[in-house]
Amino acid sequence: SELRSKYFSSGNPVRRIIGVSWRGGGTGDRIKEKSVPLNLFKQLLKDIPDFRFVSLQYGQSKEIVDQWRNDGIDIIHDDSINPLKNMDDWIAQVAACDAVLSVANTTIHGAGGLNLPTLCLLSLNSDWRWLRNPAVKRSYWYPSVGIARQDENSGWTSALHQSRNWLLSGCPQPSGPCSV
């Protein structure tokens, strides 16, 4: 509740706190495969009224968040939280959010485990846990996690469009099949 209060009082009044993460984990090319390009993720967050975004991204992200803030996005990088050094503080940060939008990384597991409304931006190169059938709209493991899939033809375009609509709709709990 302390973090939630801190995030609500940082700047102009907002209705919702949304946690975000754009970079996947792993090494080398695997990180690129799972991540949304920064310019596309930034466009996704632009001009969303009444929302404050909180970076849940682990690793080096402060410079990116500062740049996005300078570009007019209401986003926070909380220097008091280091997910790579204190998982308890980081999960408290996730719990302070009303909803989460993230690529497939640890953030999804934290938000899903807390049963927060969550949307996972899933790359074409996802692993078996996500079931490859595009008819699957929710995580099999976490019912509160919806899936927005990258598409072979349109790349991230349709997944980002779906994500923006989800944000503008107030981040509802996902619906649809979790298996087929």
Side-chain angles (χ1 to χ4, degrees), residues 9-143:
S9 64
S10 291
N12 296 327
V14 295
R15 285 184 311 115
R16 310 274 312 224
I17 302 292
I18 309 299
V20 294
S21 179
W22 53 90
R23 187 176 54 241
T27 57
D29 288 339
R30 187 71 180 130
I31 293 172
K32 273 189 191 176
E33 289 173 352
K34 292 171 58 177
S35 302
V36 175
L38 292 175
N39 62 327
L40 296 178
F41 202 85
K42 178 177 100 171
Q43 289 304 312
L44 170 64
L45 304 181
K46 281 191 100 112
D47 303 318
I48 304 286
D50 299 326
F51 280 18
R52 176 160 298 128
F53 298 100
V54 173
S55 172
L56 302 175
Q57 184 64 59
Y58 45 87
Q60 299 297 319
S61 63
K62 184 175 179 2
E63 288 181 20
I64 294 164
V65 170
D66 288 345
Q67 180 184 16
W68 289 351
R69 191 176 315 106
N70 289 338
D71 290 340
I73 296 171
D74 190 349
I75 187 168
I76 295 170
H77 178 275
D78 189 340
D79 290 324
S80 72
I81 307 292
N82 185 337
L84 298 175
K85 293 192 176 182
N86 189 325
M87 186 66 92
D88 288 341
D89 287 349
W90 177 77
I91 204 71
Q93 183 183 39
V94 175
C97 298
D98 294 301
V100 170
L101 173 65
S102 175
V103 296
N105 62 23
T106 304
T107 304
I108 294 298
H109 301 287
L114 292 168
N115 202 38
L116 289 173
T118 301
L119 190 59
C120 178
L121 288 156
L122 194 59
S123 76
L124 285 171
N125 300 306
S126 61
D127 61 29
W128 64 270
R129 288 176 271 225
W130 293 100
L131 308 178
R132 299 221 182 254
N133 189 326
V136 174
K137 303 296 183 193
R138 285 184 303 134
S139 165
Y140 181 81
W141 316 104
Y142 306 113

